Amino acid sequence: MAKSIDVSGLNIYYGDFLAVQDVNVTIKARAVTALIGPSGCGKSTFLRTLNRMHEVIPGARVEGDVVLGSDAIYGPNVDPVEVRRTVGMVFQRPNPFPTMSIYENVLAGNRLNNRKLKKADADAIVEKALSGANLWSEVKDRLNKPGMGLSGGQQQRLCIARAIAVEPQVLLMDEPCSALDPISTAAVEDLIHELKTDYTIVIVTHNMQQAARVSEYTGFFNLKAAGQPGHLVEFNKTSKMFSTPEQESTEAYISGRFG
Amino acid sequence: MTTTDASPRVGRRLGDLLFAGTARAAGITILIALAGVATFLIVEGIPGIVTTQSSAFAGKASFVSYTWPLVFGTVLAAVIALLIATPLAVGAALVIGFYAPRRLATPLGYMIDLLAAVPSVVYGLWGATLLAPKMQPTYAWLADHLSFIPFFAGPASATGRTILTAGVVLAIMVLPIITAICREIFAQTPALHREAALALGATRWEMIKMAVFPYARSGLVSGVMLGLGRALGETMAVAMVLSASSAVTFNLIGSQNPSTIAANIALSFGERTGVERNTLIATGLVLFVITFIVNFLARGIVARGRKGS
Ligand SMILES: Nc1ncnc2c1ncn2[C@@H]1O[C@H](COP(=O)(O)OP(=O)(O)OP(=O)(O)O)[C@@H](O)[C@H]1O
Ligand SMILES: [Mg+2]
């Protein structure tokens, strides 16, 4: 189910503006990869190229290749909609659909794939996804209540449940905990730990401790200089990144001597 | 110290007071104007309702039998207009907002907005002299082939100046306002929810169904109701297009068509005097009440939509 991602020679543009330059990296399957770096260096931009969400912004485009398992997702005959069905995404701010119940929110992706979902199958998917997102026990008695009625942390786990309900091959998370309190953050981090046995996970975070806690691999993005495109400075095992990084700027950033 | 502190605060309070006063005055003015119109319609209208002068009802027995066909025609024309205009407006707003490349979307938007700038008398001329004759063959065909549907019972009007033609003209007239409101509310759909749908692998249309329509529903209703208000009150175009009698019929393509309240007032005001005029004013009161009811209903729907979301 989980697949690795091979990125080569990736340049990412907003119109004429080159936001991220020449990324080459291999993201391992069934592992958590954290992306860190200062604000504006292109972490979110890069993440969104992995499920072709980048191009929904008018004028946005990429050059280079991203290969998921053995499929080039930017190949000429690839439908971005199909890519997004196999690469799930969780956003910085929880975004359950406001008019849908908790139950329907979880099923939103499945309903796209399969209109005539049997009630029993649907129930099973909802329970599995919500259990997978550590939310089942909290909401099982109010599945038909609106998803917006949950707390922020619960909403975020609902969004994770929605993303894993379609059993994607990869799960992308863009600062999934930045709008959450420490307890909800811990719940989501535990969840990430459990999910990595089944999924390839890429997570953007500003929180070094979080990167160190949840990930096996870490990529450090930085700007070459102000006004220059972002690039991937270093990619390594997290343990190495946080003890003996190869690049000086990585070390400076991680130890907080950044400027 | 208190004095130096107090003076700027007093200044600010004065500004607040001024603003609150102006706002309140504006609100009260609107209420007074509304009350004035209502009072006028009631005071001037009642003599026209209770009168025994038969010429006031144009040969009809009572005010009710005089006004009922007009109410029927008014509502029918407006409903036809909305049935045509709403899907067109929603479609146009979707194309402009989500499908057309920006190069095309902007001029398209301007063009639809421009439709609102055309005076209604021009629509009337266009409808009566160009559209109606062009529609006539279609009506003849409908009467020949689909006459089992009550709406197309026929016989077809020879001029094409039917309630359906009036409805089409009205539809074009209300199209810009509904489109503008739809565009506005579609554009306000939070990017967060649009991206949530896209990231799940929704196509553009699925994204619109999942994230845009649920969010836009109540705004859509207000837009349609605004269009309805305009269609109910539109005078000139209907007066010119429609060849009216006082029939009450769902046959949309025949030569016997109900008139609308507004068009009837415009057409017969000149030839009426005394209490006959009061009767017309009373029909105006009825239109006023209908518009009010429509607005209240719309508010109800919008409020319920809010609760649901
Ligand atoms: N929609 C957009 N249109 C144009 N430029 C954009 C857009 N979104 C981001 N950018 C630019 O791309 C660059 C990278 O932005 P990005 O959001 O990827 O940074 P980030 O690393 O995620 O930052 P943060 O940590 O603050 O989220 C920035 O220079 C930003 O201004
Ligand atoms: Mg970001």
Side-chain angles (χ1 to χ4, degrees):
Chain A
M1 193 158 72
K3 285 185 182 170
S4 62
I5 309 171
D6 266 300
V7 180
S8 49
L10 193 69
N11 294 320
I12 313 172
Y13 294 86
Y14 290 100
D16 293 330
F17 170 63
L18 177 59
V20 180
Q21 192 174 31
D22 197 26
V23 179
N24 296 283
V25 69
T26 297
I27 293 168
K28 294 265 190 322
R30 290 176 213 279
V32 179
T33 300
L35 303 177
I36 59 172
S39 191
C41 66
K43 305 177 298 293
S44 303
T45 302
F46 171 69
L47 194 73
R48 289 164 59 95
T49 59
L50 300 181
N51 66 343
R52 295 192 66 168
M53 278 298 284
H54 178 62
E55 64 207 69
V56 305
I57 295 163
R61 65 199 166 83
V62 302
E63 289 164 357
D65 289 316
V66 177
V67 178
L68 176 67
S70 55
D71 310 315
I73 66 171
Y74 285 96
N77 297 320
V78 176
D79 181 359
V81 168
E82 287 305 318
V83 174
R84 293 178 203 138
R85 288 185 184 186
T86 51
V87 183
M89 184 162 211
V90 176
F91 294 80
Q92 179 168 355
R93 284 185 44 210
N95 55 358
F97 295 113
T99 51
M100 289 185 195
S101 63
I102 294 171
Y103 187 90
E104 285 303 322
N105 257 295
V106 176
L107 285 177
N110 302 72
R111 294 244 191 260
L112 293 174
N113 293 322
N114 177 8
R115 311 221 145 260
K116 290 184 278 297
L117 211 55
K118 284 208 197 68
K119 176 84 172 90
D121 295 344
D123 288 348
I125 292 171
V126 169
E127 177 164 359
K128 185 168 175 226
L130 285 173
S131 309
N134 284 335
L135 191 61
W136 175 249
S137 56
E138 289 162 64
V139 301
K140 65 172 186 288
D141 299 322
R142 46 170 167 161
L143 290 176
N144 291 316
K145 295 268 153 48
M148 293 301 271
L150 299 173
S151 77
Q154 290 172 327
Q155 285 185 25
Q156 191 64 304
R157 278 179 284 150
L158 176 60
C159 293
I160 295 175
R162 180 174 68 188
I164 61 178
V166 292
E167 309 200 336
Q169 283 149 1
V170 178
L171 197 55
L172 308 176
M173 302 177 146
D174 192 351
E175 302 185 40
C177 301
S178 66
L180 307 184
D181 69 298
I183 293 172
S184 307
T185 300
V188 172
E189 284 183 12
D190 287 345
L191 176 57
I192 293 172
H193 260 299
E194 290 164 23
L195 290 176
K196 76 171 177 223
T197 51
D198 293 321
Y199 299 99
T200 305
I201 296 177
V202 186
I203 175 173
V204 172
T205 177
H206 275 290
N207 181 329
M208 293 315 141
Q209 286 82 29
Q210 181 170 65
R213 278 195 302 265
V214 301
S215 72
E216 277 90 59
Y217 297 90
T218 299
F220 172 54
F221 278 85
N222 200 358
L223 295 167
K224 284 188 175 124
Q228 294 276 307
H231 66 137
L232 182 60
V233 176
E234 182 171 350
F235 188 88
N236 244 323
K237 280 211 142 91
T238 300
S239 50
K240 179 156 172 54
M241 250 348 217
F242 283 87
S243 54
T244 51
E246 281 163 14
Q247 302 290 326
E248 216 172 297
S249 61
T250 313
E251 153 109 71
Y253 183 74
I254 286 171
S255 60
R257 288 183 286 107
F258 190 75
Chain B
M1 194 183 142
T2 30
T3 39
T4 47
D5 244 359
S7 57
R9 210 180 291 153
V10 167
R12 219 176 301 141
R13 276 210 205 121
L14 191 67
D16 277 353
L17 278 179
L18 265 177
F19 179 74
T22 332
R24 198 168 303 140
I28 291 173
T29 313
I30 292 172
L31 280 183
I32 290 176
L34 202 63
V37 171
T39 316
F40 162 79
L41 287 174
I42 292 168
V43 170
E44 293 286 309
I46 285 177
I49 298 176
V50 298
T51 180
T52 50
Q53 190 181 321
S54 65
S55 70
F57 303 136
K60 292 286 169 52
S62 70
F63 179 72
V64 173
S65 54
Y66 174 67
T67 313
W68 159 239
L70 296 175
V71 172
F72 178 81
T74 306
V75 174
L76 184 61
V79 167
I80 295 173
L82 286 186
L83 285 181
I84 300 172
T86 307
L88 280 180
V90 172
L94 287 179
V95 167
I96 293 170
F98 298 107
Y99 287 96
R102 196 159 292 185
R103 244 169 329 106
L104 216 72
T106 318
L108 195 61
Y110 281 138
M111 259 153 62
I112 292 177
D113 285 344
L114 265 183
L115 286 178
V118 178
S120 57
V121 71
V122 173
Y123 279 112
L125 281 172
W126 172 75
T129 60
L130 194 76
L131 183 68
K134 291 259 191 270
M135 295 284 273
Q136 203 282 329
T138 314
Y139 295 155
W141 187 90
L142 285 172
D144 282 346
H145 295 89
L146 296 177
S147 58
F148 59 89
I149 304 173
F151 297 133
F152 307 130
S157 149
T159 58
R161 292 170 58 183
T162 68
I163 191 105
L164 186 54
T165 309
V168 171
V169 174
L170 280 179
I172 297 170
M173 297 178 73
V174 300
L175 190 64
I177 180 151
I178 304 183
T179 311
I181 290 175
C182 287
R183 282 176 62 192
E184 197 63 35
I185 48 176
F186 290 168
Q188 285 170 5
T189 327
L192 213 59
H193 297 134
R194 289 202 304 249
E195 296 207 326
L198 289 174
L200 281 174
T203 61
R204 219 175 305 195
W205 173 236
E206 287 165 339
M207 179 275 283
I208 288 167
K209 281 191 295 184
M210 283 170 92
V212 177
F213 282 160
Y215 177 86
R217 201 176 38 194
S218 61
L220 207 87
V221 172
S222 338
V224 170
M225 289 302 155
L226 270 179
L228 182 57
R230 166 129 206 232
L232 286 172
E234 175 51 41
T235 309
M236 215 47 225
V238 180
M240 292 169 77
V241 170
L242 198 58
S243 120
S245 64
S246 60
V248 175
T249 166
F250 279 107
N251 176 12
L252 305 181
I253 59 172
S255 48
Q256 298 279 307
N257 293 288
S259 186
T260 70
I261 293 176
N264 180 60
I265 294 175
L267 288 176
S268 44
F269 195 74
E271 63 206 34
R272 286 185 159 229
T273 52
V275 75
E276 298 169 356
R277 281 198 169 184
N278 291 99
T279 307
L280 283 186
I281 293 173
T283 62
L285 177 63
V286 173
L287 181 59
F288 188 76
V289 171
I290 294 176
T291 326
F292 241 76
I293 293 174
V294 165
N295 262 299
F296 273 117
L297 286 182
R299 258 157 223 283
I301 296 172
V302 171
R304 212 175 39 193
R306 289 248 171 74
K307 240 179 271 157
S309 67

